[in-house]
Amino acid sequence: MIKSFISELETGNKNALYKKNILHTFINLGDLSISDIAKEMDMSVPTITKLIGELIEEGYVFDFGKQETSGGRRPNVYGLNPEACYFVGVDIRRFRINIALTNFKGELIKVKRDMPFFLEHTPKSLDQLCQIISSFIDKLTIPKDRLMNIAINISGRVNSASGYSYSFFYFDEKPMAQTIEERLGYTVSIDNDSRSMAYGEYMCATSGEKHLLFVNVSWGLGLGMIIDGQLYYGKSGFSGEFGHYHAEDNEIICHCGKKGCLETEASGQAIHRMMKEKIEHGSSTILAPKFQEDTVTMEDIVAATLHDDVLAIEMVEHVGATLGKHIAGLINLFNPELVVIGGGLSMVGDYLLLPIRSAIRKYSLNLVNKDTIVRITKLGDDVGVMGACMLARSKMLKLV
Ligand SMILES: [Zn+2]
């Protein structure tokens, strides 16, 4: 029942496009009456009635019966059938994976956080990724033929349209998405992690802001952009390489091969390097033993900061000030309504946010920055996995 609509969409069939727009309207506005949809889409009531009838038959839409509205009318209200299809989102981090299942309405059904994983460009790491996804799916009690898309977030250069990842898992001519698809037996899509986070925040934690920048400060540094309500990809999907923007005249070689990248001064790895240098010059910190063992993670730095470790706080503040200076530039360029700070380091909250705000005030144009709200993500560590689930649904409907 479900496949027909999607295959029609592939051919550009007009009826299918109208149906897609109806479903998109439900996603954006929730449950609606036929006259509300007709008004929203600027189409006639008989046409919408016919299309809704077909969507009910195909299983995508539910008739929720007569509902009271503010005008005292009692029209039938329609909305997405939550059980029509399901989506899996996979958020790959450096040392762990978050994985979740959402239904057609976008409601979170199941989430597994912090599954141990080690991200590196090796077949072994790819095997581990596939194993984690497949054991998560095996335990699901949903009808498996309704699992329509598995969306995977990965850092680095990703061409979401072709399914190629250029920073991890490029072992042969085959796109990463296709390799995993063949192993798992489900449709798979991939996207850059920062872009997916931006989408998660936009879909799940904003109130209609159409111009949003999402700064992902984790071990590395990335940027996702929503411009005029649309996820911005650039020509080949490589937009948002904020971390590899030449920002500092230092001699630190970045993992991209260049030197002076912003990521070398404003990221989790920058804090790691600076703390190590400070310890070597006699500074004290509760993390000193872990530095000695060389086992310090992003989570350790966050925990030390939140436990009042002065050195960790100083380093976070320093990174916040540097980052804020360059976000000021982005604000001047994009005039966004919202700048969201997310990623592992954002878990320190105000220790990072306040120096960012202060630098933005100092370095951006006042007339421009007074339009902009700067805040930490409302979704915390789930922003990536929710973004992946939302992208999985939007990709099935060809909305992105
Ligand atoms: Zn770089």
Side-chain angles (χ1 to χ4, degrees):
M1 72 173 181
I2 280 153
K3 300 258 171 174
S4 65
F5 166 66
I6 302 305
S7 50
E8 274 178 29
L9 205 53
E10 299 276 357
T11 65
N13 174 293
K14 221 171 165 185
N15 235 30
L17 290 176
Y18 289 143
K19 285 183 192 171
K20 168 181 123 167
N21 289 341
I22 291 175
L23 297 180
H24 194 195
T25 308
F26 285 133
I27 288 171
N28 288 335
L29 303 176
D31 302 341
L32 296 164
S33 71
I34 286 199
S35 67
D36 287 340
I37 305 165
K39 212 180 292 167
E40 194 61 38
M41 289 180 59
D42 200 16
M43 288 173 76
S44 78
V45 167
T47 309
I48 296 293
T49 307
K50 179 182 161 282
L51 292 167
I52 289 278
E54 287 175 18
L55 283 168
I56 290 173
E57 219 166 286
E58 287 175 38
Y60 290 99
V61 168
F62 254 175
D63 178 352
F64 293 109
K66 294 198 183 302
Q67 310 270 326
E68 199 76 52
T69 63
S70 54
R73 296 179 299 125
R74 282 175 59 80
N76 277 42
V77 166
Y78 302 85
L80 299 177
N81 170 9
E83 293 171 2
C85 18
Y86 294 89
F87 305 95
V88 167
V90 184
D91 190 35
I92 305 179
R93 318 300 283 265
R94 209 162 147 253
F95 296 117
R96 60 199 175 91
I97 279 178
N98 290 342
I99 181 165
L101 175 80
T102 52
N103 64 19
F104 194 36
K105 270 204 151 173
E107 294 157 339
L108 186 63
I109 307 294
K110 186 177 177 180
V111 60
K112 293 276 261 177
R113 300 182 180 95
D114 301 329
M115 320 261 305
F117 174 72
F118 183 59
L119 175 62
E120 59 177 355
H121 179 52
T122 61
K124 195 177 152 208
S125 184
L126 180 63
D127 289 346
Q128 202 191 354
L129 169 67
C130 291
Q131 208 275 321
I132 288 173
I133 301 172
S134 119
S135 84
F136 178 80
I137 293 172
D138 284 347
K139 293 191 189 90
L140 297 175
T141 51
I142 57 159
K144 300 286 159 59
D145 60 342
R146 295 194 186 179
L147 176 50
M148 302 306 279
N149 192 5
I150 299 168
I152 302 173
N153 301 344
I154 189 154
S155 67
R157 260 68 64 210
V158 174
N159 184 330
S160 175
S162 66
Y164 278 102
S165 158
Y166 296 90
S167 304
F168 294 97
F169 307 141
Y170 48 95
F171 304 116
D172 49 36
E173 290 300 300
K174 213 183 274 178
M176 172 186 158
Q178 193 190 330
T179 304
I180 301 179
E181 200 166 285
E182 285 169 6
R183 290 213 204 169
L184 299 178
Y186 293 95
T187 304
V188 169
S189 54
I190 61 168
D191 219 316
N192 169 269
D193 55 353
S194 306
R195 191 176 296 129
S196 181
M197 287 175 178
Y199 201 63
E201 190 79 22
Y202 175 65
M203 294 295 286
C204 307
T206 58
S207 35
E209 290 92 344
K210 291 206 173 306
H211 306 282
L212 176 155
L213 300 180
F214 189 102
V215 181
N216 171 18
V217 207
S218 299
W219 194 251
L221 175 67
L223 175 74
M225 293 169 275
I226 303 281
I227 298 175
D228 216 4
Q230 287 292 319
L231 202 52
Y232 186 72
Y233 280 88
K235 182 180 179 292
S236 315
F238 306 151
S239 69
E241 287 296 354
F242 186 41
H244 302 286
Y245 171 92
H246 181 82
E248 304 286 331
D249 278 327
N250 63 27
E251 289 299 321
I252 303 164
I253 304 287
C254 180
H255 64 90
C256 72
K258 312 268 184 210
K259 62 181 182 181
C261 290
L262 183 55
E263 188 171 290
T264 64
E265 297 288 346
S267 63
Q269 59 186 280
I271 293 184
H272 183 271
R273 190 198 68 245
M274 291 186 294
M275 280 187 89
K276 206 170 159 190
E277 285 166 8
K278 291 276 183 185
I279 293 166
E280 281 162 8
H281 287 89
S283 291
S284 57
T285 161
I286 50 172
L287 291 180
K290 284 208 166 195
F291 269 99
Q292 207 123 47
E293 294 163 10
D294 201 17
T295 57
V296 180
T297 64
M298 187 75 253
E299 289 72 26
D300 293 327
I301 293 169
V302 170
T305 307
L306 296 176
H307 283 95
D308 293 330
D309 185 84
V310 175
L311 183 63
I313 291 172
E314 280 173 5
M315 296 301 101
V316 168
E317 282 175 348
H318 179 75
V319 159
T322 307
L323 198 53
K325 190 161 116 181
H326 295 284
I327 293 175
L330 295 178
I331 290 177
N332 284 351
L333 280 176
F334 288 97
N335 185 205
E337 287 166 279
L338 193 56
V339 173
V340 181
I341 313 297
L345 194 61
S346 72
M347 302 301 154
V348 300
D350 279 352
Y351 288 114
L352 182 69
L353 184 62
L354 298 181
I356 287 177
R357 280 189 179 149
S358 166
I360 287 172
R361 224 167 286 142
K362 189 170 169 190
Y363 293 106
S364 65
L365 297 169
N366 185 257
L367 187 68
V368 184
N369 79 38
K370 73 178 188 191
D371 275 355
T372 310
I373 293 167
V374 183
R375 63 161 172 81
I376 300 281
T377 170
K378 288 182 183 170
L379 300 177
D381 193 43
D382 281 352
V383 66
V385 81
M386 285 311 292
C389 287
M390 295 298 117
L391 273 175
R393 180 178 63 178
S394 292
K395 282 178 179 170
M396 179 192 84
L397 293 171
K398 310 256 181 280
L399 296 172
V400 290

